[in-house]
Amino acid sequence: MRYQKYDGGDPLAPPVDLAEALEAIGEDVMAGYSPERAMREFLRRGGRDQAGLDDLARRVAERRRELLDRHHLDGTLREVRELLDRAVLEERKQLARDAMMDDADRAFREMQLTNAWPESGGQSPAAAVTELASYDWQSREAREAYEQIKDLLGREILDQRFAGMKRALEGATDEDRAAINEMLSDLNELLEKRARGEDTDEDFAEFMAKHGSQFPEDPQTLDELLDSLAARAAAAQRMLNSMTAEQRAELMELSAAAFGSPALMDQLARLDGNLQSLRPGEDWYGSEQFGGSGGEGLGLGDGTGVLQDLGELDRLAEQLSQSYGGARMDDIDLDALARQLGESAAVDARTLRDLERALRESGQLERGSDGDLRLTPKAMRQLGKALLKDVAQKLTGRQGSRDTRRAGATGDLTGSTRAWEFGDTEPWDLPRTLLNATRRMGPPSPRVGPPGGSSGGLRLQLEDIEVQETEDRTQAAVALLVDTSFSMAMDGRWVPMKRTALALHTLIRSRFRGDDLQLIAFGRAARVMEIEELTALDARWDKGTNLHHGLLLANRHFRKHPNAQPVLLIVTDGEPTSHLEADGEVSFAYPPQQRTIALTVRELDNARRIGAQATFFRLGEDPGLARFVEQMARRVDGSVVAPELDDLGAAVVGSYLGRRSGSSGTSYDGGGLGWGGRGWWAG
């Protein structure tokens, strides 16, 4: 049985909250982003209390710069120089102490030491090690220091390929070195069999049974072993590539003295060749620019580890960018992120991953027949509820306006009940409410207490409450006409327009289900849209405001509902500049032509004859538009609202509620009605 570290996150942590994510995604979708891109943008930015991918990527980049600035690559050469200094110094001390030595012999030895490693410096460590290879050391301490050089080089070179070898082989015996050579030979034979396609699972099992102690990571297959060895060998090669030509030449020359035998280097060169042929996809040719000489020197093994860290950071940066085809949050290596940035970073990434998964699996996003990701009706309802709540808060701040919440007595009881929702004022259904609380709490347990004392009663919670549904006394056929012309997108009115449409759609679908809403978008031409299509509509850059066509579609909608009260709501920021000809062709002209105005006014008169109550929502301060809208409203006894963009949704919803009840008090009668101090009702 194998065990591994639990990576499922905090099992006691609350589930991810989709509300903030859905709101942000909805905003971006209405601004013209695709749902897929909107979700990516939220994951990139993060939430109010949640780090995003950009923050994690920034920390990865900082960690990378820190590794490069803090280190340099001459650590092994420095250690060799220090050992040479110690060996030569101890030898000179011994020569000075040995009174029995012949003076000529002493002078000759001094000359050998000076030529190999002069006190003034400037000599190559590799050349000094080679020259002193045949020197007959008189000092035991000097001989040990020199032998440590060969041992150090062997351990460092092995540590480049096998992490931890430098420490494991400290003080190694000849038998230990022979075991390493045998392992390398067997490993090369196994890899060469793989290259020929002749290896078997038994070959790998036999190799691990014999040499498994050399691989603490405990690979379970030859592929796992190959991946691990190739990644470290490639990092070792990148380290050599990052050195100066002089440093590289020194190390190549010194490596011949590793363990005092060239056999080790022969086996390692053979291993490198096998790994490169079996894993050509590794980065064997890259390099890095490390900091100056003031940083911490790295030995071959430690330097290879740093290069591996840099490679891992590069992979994390790519994963966090999510910029490649088919990118998913599941691609992020949480273990690598924890190694490089700590557990908190892994927790942040795991939360983002769970959030993406929850968005995809909770019914908030779905793929359409064209393969594109889109918001589901469930997501649209949740987003609409959030917008409607915001609208309700704005409406409650208006002075002199009617209450926007429907009273329970506005219609007859239907006999049905439903769960209470925020904003409901319908009467409670007490039997159902108490029954829900009883079911939740379970049967009461008998209690013994003094007379008149407290007893275990029911405790109501919000989810227990049910309200009685009522019928509306009137039905309305509502046409919301929204301007989708060039100027709406150019002047930043695109998203507020969509928010308004979604808020009104949500209100009617949830609270006034007997009403029939039709959304009509009019730019150069007009067309009926479903709310999902309108909210996902990209900003249009075609010039033209075809209110005439929009009114034609609205009147057709009203005629389909002869028994309903027609309510006409028009959101626009420009005068009509296009109209629909009898043959179906669109005619556009700017400044507006008299024919365009005449056809628009004629269709507005038709709406009045049908009985439509019209409200114009004028956006912008254009005097020409203001005069036109005022004249149009006066002609049909309608009203004009000039809200700020932030209040557009509240203005439209408030007008709908007022028109529906017949008591808005906003008709064009020459009076003015204050609107919360942020917009105004024109009169």
Side-chain angles (χ1 to χ4, degrees):
M1 182 179 294
R2 298 185 66 202
Y3 296 91
Q4 63 183 17
K5 183 179 179 181
Y6 172 71
D7 64 352
D10 184 0
L12 301 180
V16 292
D17 182 11
L18 298 181
E20 181 186 4
L22 182 61
E23 182 179 356
I25 290 171
E27 286 288 318
D28 284 345
V29 167
M30 288 189 287
Y33 287 12
S34 69
E36 181 80 40
R37 182 183 174 192
M39 181 177 67
R40 293 288 170 209
E41 285 295 309
F42 178 79
L43 295 174
R44 184 180 61 78
R45 295 190 305 262
R48 286 185 292 270
D49 301 314
Q50 171 65 49
L53 294 176
D54 279 359
D55 182 66
L56 294 174
R58 175 187 56 78
R59 292 170 60 188
V60 164
E62 290 174 352
R63 169 67 174 160
R64 197 180 196 285
R65 284 195 299 271
E66 176 193 358
L67 288 176
L68 290 173
D69 293 342
R70 196 176 68 195
H71 299 107
H72 55 86
L73 299 179
D74 63 348
T76 297
L77 293 176
R78 284 189 179 186
E79 284 193 71
V80 170
R81 290 190 185 98
E82 290 172 2
L83 288 171
L84 279 171
D85 286 340
R86 187 192 311 167
V88 171
L89 177 61
E90 293 299 329
E91 182 68 7
R92 283 183 172 137
K93 288 180 181 179
Q94 179 62 31
L95 294 178
R97 287 194 298 265
D98 193 350
M100 304 300 295
M101 182 177 292
D102 181 73
D103 289 342
D105 186 21
R106 181 182 292 107
F108 178 71
R109 290 177 179 275
E110 284 283 0
M111 182 180 66
Q112 284 183 291
L113 294 174
T114 300
N115 289 338
W117 195 243
E119 293 184 58
S120 59
Q123 177 65 297
S124 160
V129 170
T130 301
E131 286 188 37
L132 294 173
S134 59
Y135 181 81
D136 181 19
W137 299 92
Q138 299 299 299
S139 165
R140 179 176 59 83
E141 292 82 0
R143 183 182 299 106
E144 289 176 354
Y146 181 78
E147 292 297 327
Q148 284 180 34
I149 294 174
K150 295 187 290 184
D151 182 67
L152 168 70
L153 292 171
R155 290 187 291 118
E156 286 278 17
I157 291 170
L158 283 172
D159 204 37
Q160 273 193 304
R161 274 72 171 187
F162 307 95
M165 278 288 188
K166 181 178 180 180
R167 286 182 291 274
L169 290 177
E170 193 168 3
T173 63
D174 290 339
E175 288 78 11
D176 295 328
R177 299 187 184 97
I180 291 295
N181 276 318
E182 184 180 10
M183 181 272 291
L184 289 172
S185 178
D186 291 347
L187 178 58
N188 279 317
E189 289 179 7
L190 180 59
L191 297 184
E192 287 159 3
K193 289 182 72 174
R194 162 57 66 90
R196 296 191 301 268
E198 299 173 357
D199 67 298
T200 64
D201 292 341
E202 289 73 18
D203 292 332
F204 175 74
E206 182 181 345
F207 174 83
M208 291 301 295
K210 186 176 181 181
H211 304 293
S213 60
Q214 307 288 350
F215 303 94
E217 61 272 18
D218 191 25
Q220 298 301 299
T221 65
L222 180 54
D223 283 320
E224 286 186 21
L225 178 61
L226 259 173
D227 291 340
S228 174
L229 292 176
R232 189 157 180 91
Q237 185 59 52
R238 293 197 301 275
M239 179 182 179
L240 290 176
N241 299 342
S242 304
M243 293 179 175
T244 64
E246 292 78 9
Q247 289 174 329
R248 201 157 45 243
E250 287 280 348
L251 285 172
M252 291 299 100
E253 190 174 346
L254 282 169
S255 63
F259 286 150
S261 168
L264 173 64
M265 291 307 299
D266 292 342
Q267 290 284 7
L268 290 176
R270 182 181 166 195
L271 175 62
D272 287 345
N274 288 328
L275 292 173
Q276 288 195 38
S277 67
L278 290 169
R279 290 293 185 271
E282 292 286 345
D283 183 6
W284 298 96
Y285 305 104
S287 62
E288 299 289 349
Q289 184 66 43
F290 282 82
S293 58
E296 176 186 347
L298 292 173
L300 296 181
D302 292 338
T304 298
V306 168
L307 265 296
Q308 276 193 295
D309 286 342
L310 291 172
E312 190 167 67
L313 289 168
D314 288 341
R315 290 189 293 275
L316 283 172
E318 182 181 16
Q319 294 163 10
L320 292 170
S321 74
Q322 295 282 287
S323 59
Y324 49 91
R328 299 288 292 267
M329 290 296 297
D330 286 332
D331 299 341
I332 298 175
D333 188 337
L334 298 180
D335 290 336
L337 199 60
R339 283 193 297 271
Q340 299 299 334
L341 300 183
E343 286 294 335
S344 63
V347 170
D348 286 336
R350 185 182 294 111
T351 301
L352 292 173
R353 181 197 66 186
D354 294 345
L355 180 61
E356 182 198 43
R357 187 175 298 162
L359 284 169
R360 294 182 184 276
E361 297 178 356
S362 64
Q364 307 292 344
L365 299 170
E366 65 181 3
R367 294 203 177 273
S369 58
D370 55 1
D372 292 336
L373 205 63
R374 62 186 60 177
L375 294 175
T376 63
K378 176 182 177 182
M380 296 296 296
R381 287 194 298 272
Q382 291 187 9
L383 182 58
K385 287 180 180 179
L387 294 175
L388 191 57
K389 184 176 180 181
D390 180 63
V391 165
Q393 290 172 348
K394 287 184 169 67
L395 283 173
T396 55
R398 284 172 47 180
Q399 299 175 356
S401 63
R402 64 182 291 276
D403 190 351
T404 62
R405 293 174 298 174
R406 190 174 46 156
T410 58
D412 297 328
L413 297 178
T414 65
S416 300
T417 65
R418 60 177 173 82
W420 177 87
E421 296 179 359
F422 174 81
D424 282 339
T425 56
E426 286 83 355
W428 286 16
D429 188 297
L430 289 178
R432 295 286 301 177
T433 298
L434 295 176
L435 179 60
N436 291 339
T438 302
R439 287 173 172 171
R440 177 178 51 79
M441 296 181 63
S445 57
R447 286 187 59 177
V448 177
S454 62
S455 61
L458 290 176
R459 294 182 180 274
L460 295 182
Q461 295 186 3
L462 289 179
E463 60 264 29
D464 299 329
I465 302 172
E466 292 199 22
V467 296
Q468 299 173 356
E469 286 194 330
T470 59
E471 291 182 346
D472 297 321
R473 296 188 185 277
T474 61
Q475 287 185 328
V478 185
L480 175 61
L481 280 64
V482 291
D483 191 341
T484 56
S485 62
F486 170 81
S487 57
M488 289 286 287
M490 182 178 66
D491 295 333
R493 296 162 185 153
W494 198 256
V495 173
M497 174 271 291
K498 291 183 176 182
R499 289 170 60 93
T500 297
L502 182 55
L504 182 62
H505 177 273
T506 301
L507 175 65
I508 292 176
R509 289 292 182 269
S510 62
R511 302 292 300 278
F512 298 99
R513 290 186 287 270
D515 289 0
D516 197 295
L517 170 67
Q518 187 166 91
L519 301 173
I520 301 171
F522 64 96
R524 194 177 187 90
R527 64 190 179 102
V528 176
M529 289 188 178
E530 295 298 326
I531 187 62
E532 294 81 8
E533 183 182 7
L534 180 60
T535 53
L537 185 66
D538 287 337
R540 294 186 170 186
W541 304 106
D542 289 336
K543 294 182 179 180
T545 304
N546 199 335
L547 180 56
H548 169 242
H549 193 185
L551 289 170
L552 282 169
L553 296 176
N555 288 336
R556 185 178 67 181
H557 174 61
F558 295 150
R559 292 187 183 101
K560 288 180 179 178
H561 302 83
N563 298 322
Q565 169 62 51
V567 176
L568 178 62
L569 308 172
I570 302 170
V571 179
T572 185
D573 71 344
E575 299 175 75
T577 55
S578 62
H579 64 269
L580 197 66
E581 295 286 1
D583 60 1
E585 292 296 320
V586 172
S587 175
F588 166 78
Y590 184 85
Q593 292 181 338
Q594 186 62 36
R595 176 168 171 75
T596 299
I597 299 297
L599 288 174
T600 303
V601 170
R602 187 180 71 181
E603 208 54 42
L604 187 63
D605 288 342
N606 290 336
R608 182 184 184 185
R609 281 191 286 271
I610 294 173
Q613 300 177 349
T615 304
F616 292 84
F617 301 89
R618 174 172 61 80
L619 304 179
E621 302 298 330
D622 178 48
L625 173 65
R627 286 191 299 270
F628 171 78
V629 168
E630 288 169 5
Q631 292 169 3
M632 296 278 279
R634 184 181 294 110
R635 185 180 185 91
V636 296
D637 195 25
S639 58
V640 180
V641 185
E644 294 184 2
L645 279 180
D646 287 348
D647 291 325
L648 176 61
V652 171
V653 169
S655 177
Y656 160 73
L657 292 170
R659 289 297 188 188
R660 195 178 187 288
S661 66
S663 60
S664 68
T666 61
S667 62
Y668 195 94
D669 56 4
L673 183 63
W675 197 76
R678 302 187 61 193
W680 54 277
W681 297 87

